[in-house]
Amino acid sequence: MRIDSAEFLTSAKDLEACPRSALPEVAFIGRSNVGKSSLVNMLTKQRGLAKVSKKPGATKLINFFTMDKWWSLVDLPGYGFAKVAKGKQADFNLAVSEYLMGRKQLKLICALVDSRMEPTELDLGFFNWMHEEECPVPHVIVFTKTDEVKEDVWRRNMAIYEETLDALGLKVPEMIPCSSVDRAGRGVLLQYIQGALPKRKKKGSGTGVQLNWMKKR
Ligand SMILES: Nc1nc2c(ncn2[C@@H]2O[C@H](COP(=O)(O)OP(=O)(O)OP(=O)(O)O)[C@@H](O)[C@H]2O)c(=O)[nH]1
Ligand SMILES: [Mg+2]
C-alpha cells in the first residue's frame, strides 16, 4: 500500500472528543519515547507531520492524521509518562485505554516496543491489560529503532519477547522490526496495515449492477 497524501486532522483529549469521522483507524501505542510519532512521519514521508521530541511526553493528546482521505493513523500519548492510575486501573492514561477499548472504527493497534531492549514490565503490563480487558481490536508488535543495534541484538530481543508472552499465556502476535531513521520495515508495516483495513472502494466503481431498468420513462 502507498500513502500519497497525509494530513493532520485534529487532536482529542479523550474518546468523547474524538472526531465523528467514520474512516477506519490504525493506532500507535507504546511507552513514551519509543518512537510512535517518528513512525507516523516515516510512514508518511513527512518529517514534521507529528511532533517528535527527545524528551518523553511529547504527544499529550490523541492525534488523528488522515491518509489518502480514506483511513486514519492515530498517534497516541505514550504510557509510562502520564500519571499512573492506582488500583486495578491500567498503567497508562485513562483516555488512551478508553479510546482503545471503545473506538468502533479502530481496526488495528500497533504496539511499539524498543528493539534494543528485552521485554520491560511496562510493555508486558500493556499486553496483559489488553488480554485481561479482552480488547476486541487485533494488534501487531512493532520493534522500533533497529538502526541503533546490530541485527542479532534485535532478533534476540524479538525471540525473548515471543517466549515471554507465550510463558505469560498472552497472545504472540506478528512482530515487525522497523527504523524511522533508515526506513526499514516500512513496506512490511504498510502491507500489514492494508490487510487490517477494509477493502477500499474504487472511485466510481459503484455496485457494478445495471440499474437502468429501474429508471422511469
Ligand atoms: N535512532 C532512532 N531514533 C528514533 C527512532 N524513532 C524515534 N527515534 C527518536 O526517539 C525519540 C522519541 O521519538 P518520538 O517519535 O517523539 O517518540 P514517541 O513515542 O512519540 O514519544 P511520546 O510522544 O513522548 O510518547 C526522538 O529523539 C526520536 O528522534 C528510530 O527509528 N531510530
Ligand atoms: Mg509522540
Side-chain angles (χ1 to χ4, degrees), residues 30-39 51-59 75-79 144-148 178-181:
R31 73 159 172 76
S32 280
N33 216 242
V34 71
K36 300 175 293 296
S37 302
S38 302
L39 194 60
K51 186 184 169 196
V52 168
S53 168
K54 278 190 180 134
K55 286 189 202 153
T59 310
D75 185 19
L76 297 167
Y79 50 71
T144 63
K145 309 192 185 185
T146 54
D147 60 283
E148 290 260 336
C178 275
S179 162
S180 295
V181 169

